[in-house]
Amino acid sequence: LEQDQLRYDSLWNSLISTEDGAACVKHLGKVVQMIGLDDKSFCMQHNRLRADKLPPAVRAKYISRCRASTHKTPAYPLFVDLGRDYLPGRADIKSQVSSFNQLYAQAAIANLLLIERLKVWAHQSGGMFRAVEDQQSTFLNWNDAQNDPNMVQKWQWTPMKRHERAFEKLLRSYGNAPSRLLDLSRNCIIFSDMTRLTNALGIIVTDDNVRVERLKNRMSPTYDSSETGGYRDVCINLRVVNKAAEMLGAELHMCEVQLLLREFA
């Protein structure tokens, strides 16, 4: 770890020692400031809001709207009688996910949907993904390889967090509260320069298919890199909120996306 931190710190110092590099880092900081998301925001995994917790008039309005948006499919009568009519897209801030199994089930769905957004963002920003070529780990630009079936097979999408590691984090850091696990679905896009990375951040934040909840700019000169062993990135917590996510019950699941320079990958 000490050697890794020395290497990362050397890369960072090389970046900010040039006029262009320092200017790009400063520009990224301004973009993050304009976005206005607090990196200290306390994000959690929440359950959907139950309709019976709303005032009667509001409840009727939302149920009508939700059923209209799902092709007017009626709720199962027993669920309605039990008050288990849930509102897609509406989080109950007083009800956090407490089931480890539920969290992984939602993460599995959200992860597949997120990968499709990653491809779009990489296409628009010139991003790269990890791949294996000639038995060697490398990085391939999505735009250079997306239409080549042989190249597409070489992509290595980041796997979901292993159960062992999740349990370890759950018990050591999160007081056995599954709702605080935000990175079961985690992915990254890699960039050759700061300009592309900053452009990708803007593309993600303005994408109507997702909702960004928290943003950590570890590429800031004020960031204490000793907290991450010298490693730096722009870490985004977001939810996929499109219709597919709602229909599959994963629109509230928080995912993690890292934007990083190739040197830090």
Side-chain angles (χ1 to χ4, degrees), residues 65-137:
R65 181 183 302 174
C66 290
R67 290 178 181 172
S69 66
T70 54
H71 308 290
K72 300 182 179 180
T73 301
Y76 192 74
L78 178 60
F79 291 162
V80 176
D81 291 342
L82 294 174
R84 299 298 182 181
D85 208 343
Y86 292 89
L87 305 179
R90 287 288 303 273
D92 184 348
I93 60 173
K94 296 181 180 179
S95 176
Q96 290 85 37
V97 175
S98 58
S99 166
F100 203 63
N101 290 338
Q102 176 187 339
L103 203 60
Y104 261 96
Q106 291 175 331
I109 297 169
N111 194 58
L112 294 175
L113 299 174
L114 178 59
I115 287 175
E116 295 308 307
R117 300 317 304 163
L118 291 169
K119 295 174 183 177
V120 174
W121 300 333
H123 172 69
Q124 295 175 344
S125 63
M128 298 180 286
F129 296 115
R130 288 188 174 89
V132 173
E133 192 170 22
D134 298 327
Q135 298 183 338
Q136 297 292 324
S137 180

Side-chain angles (χ1 to χ4, degrees), residues 235-254:
C235 184
I236 305 169
N237 289 116
L238 55 76
R239 298 183 287 114
V240 182
V241 296
N242 54 26
K243 288 299 180 183
E246 278 196 4
M247 291 177 66
L248 294 169
E251 83 283 359
L252 296 182
H253 187 83
M254 205 81 67

Side-chain angles (χ1 to χ4, degrees), residues 127-222:
M128 298 180 286
F129 296 115
R130 288 188 174 89
V132 173
E133 192 170 22
D134 298 327
Q135 298 183 338
Q136 297 292 324
S137 180
T138 186
F139 305 103
L140 296 177
N141 187 293
W142 177 251
N143 289 334
D144 293 341
Q146 62 176 318
N147 295 320
D148 185 338
N150 294 324
M151 297 297 289
V152 170
Q153 294 178 8
K154 298 178 181 180
W155 299 121
Q156 279 195 322
W157 303 109
T158 306
M160 288 173 53
K161 184 181 285 293
R162 292 182 296 108
H163 289 78
E164 295 84 353
R165 176 66 182 122
F167 272 122
E168 181 180 298
K169 197 170 184 179
L170 187 65
L171 297 175
R172 290 185 178 181
S173 305
Y174 293 151
N176 201 26
S179 61
R180 297 182 63 187
L181 286 168
L182 307 179
D183 61 348
L184 296 188
S185 169
R186 62 217 172 123
N187 281 276
C188 67
I189 309 179
I190 302 150
F191 301 93
S192 58
D193 56 69
M194 286 291 294
T195 299
R196 294 177 186 271
L197 186 153
T198 304
N199 287 342
L201 176 59
I203 290 168
I204 294 171
V205 170
T206 56
D207 186 347
D208 291 337
N209 289 276
V210 300
R211 179 183 175 88
V212 176
E213 299 287 0
R214 183 170 64 180
L215 181 59
K216 295 182 181 180
N217 180 18
R218 296 179 179 134
M219 300 296 290
S220 168
T222 61

Side-chain angles (χ1 to χ4, degrees), residues 227-238:
E227 296 181 7
T228 49
Y231 172 82
R232 291 176 181 267
D233 64 10
V234 175
C235 184
I236 305 169
N237 289 116
L238 55 76

Side-chain angles (χ1 to χ4, degrees), residues 2-14:
E2 183 177 349
Q3 291 299 317
D4 286 342
Q5 180 160 353
L6 290 173
R7 180 172 65 87
Y8 286 139
D9 286 345
S10 176
L11 291 170
W12 173 251
N13 290 330
S14 296

